[in-house]
Amino acid sequence: MATKAKTEPASKSPSAPSHPAPSPLAVAFSKAVKLVDAGKFPEAAKALQILRDDAQAAGEWSMKRRAQVYLSLTDAKIHPPKAVAADPVTEIQACLNRHDTEEALKLSEKAIKGHPAKGALHYLRAVAFAQDENTEAAAESLKKAVDLDGDFVFQWHMEPDFNPIRKSPLFAFTEGR
């Protein structure tokens, strides 16, 4: 008959092993990140600049890099990039892609008044007229575009929006080009 040995629970030491105190750079980084998270970007930028310089002086390259990343973020929040207005060609193309021919025609007319010698604007107006199946106006605008820039005849041949009206004799000027 075997007897079971009594096992005593291991005595717990009165003090658990303590974690080393975080470095001053880690503490500064934590405070700077809290400022970023709170949306206090100017204050965070100042704290991050100091941290970056201190980390470089201490040779803590990984901390310096982290500070630089957050500093870039705060700079972008403090000085957001200015929105760039889309050029008329892009705006008209977007309207045509949505088949918003009314808006495309309105924008093209306005743009042509400012830049009458820009073939792309006349070509896009021709595409808008083609979407509306206005053959006469499309042919007239395409003729003007091709007169300004002969390469638009190649785009005309590839543009599917012209398919419903392409066989019209009004587009005879595109033959042999």
Side-chain angles (χ1 to χ4, degrees):
M1 195 185 245
T3 60
K4 289 186 179 178
K6 286 188 177 182
T7 55
E8 300 268 334
S11 63
K12 294 183 179 175
S13 60
S15 63
S18 63
H19 296 285
S23 74
L25 292 175
V27 171
F29 180 73
S30 178
K31 288 179 182 177
V33 169
K34 286 179 184 174
L35 289 171
V36 170
D37 290 342
K40 298 178 181 179
F41 301 114
E43 293 173 45
K46 288 177 187 174
L48 288 163
Q49 287 168 348
I50 292 168
L51 175 61
R52 178 195 60 199
D53 296 341
D54 290 349
Q56 182 169 345
E60 293 286 336
W61 305 118
S62 63
M63 183 61 73
K64 177 188 174 198
R65 180 67 185 135
R66 279 186 258 157
Q68 284 176 319
V69 168
Y70 273 88
L71 190 56
S72 295
L73 172 82
T74 58
D75 286 345
K77 294 291 186 177
I78 294 169
H79 308 289
K82 293 179 182 165
V84 177
D87 68 304
V89 170
T90 304
E91 289 183 38
I92 297 166
Q93 286 173 331
C95 290
L96 291 171
N97 289 342
R98 292 189 307 269
H99 289 277
D100 185 356
T101 54
E102 187 178 318
E103 183 68 13
L105 286 169
K106 186 174 96 177
L107 290 172
S108 65
E109 294 298 330
K110 180 180 174 185
I112 287 171
K113 285 179 185 173
H115 306 284
K118 193 167 184 177
L121 297 172
H122 293 280
Y123 177 78
L124 292 172
R125 183 172 65 176
V127 173
F129 283 131
Q131 284 183 354
D132 271 350
E133 295 189 26
N134 183 341
T135 308
E136 290 176 17
E140 182 183 321
S141 291
L142 181 63
K143 174 93 171 88
K144 180 69 176 172
V146 170
D147 288 346
L148 292 169
D149 183 349
D151 288 343
F152 283 111
V153 77
F154 300 109
Q155 268 188 270
W156 175 79
H157 283 291
M158 301 301 293
E159 178 61 57
D161 287 330
F162 284 104
N163 286 347
I165 61 173
R166 189 178 313 277
K167 293 186 181 188
S168 168
L170 295 172
F171 293 105
F173 67 91
T174 62
E175 297 303 318
R177 282 190 165 224

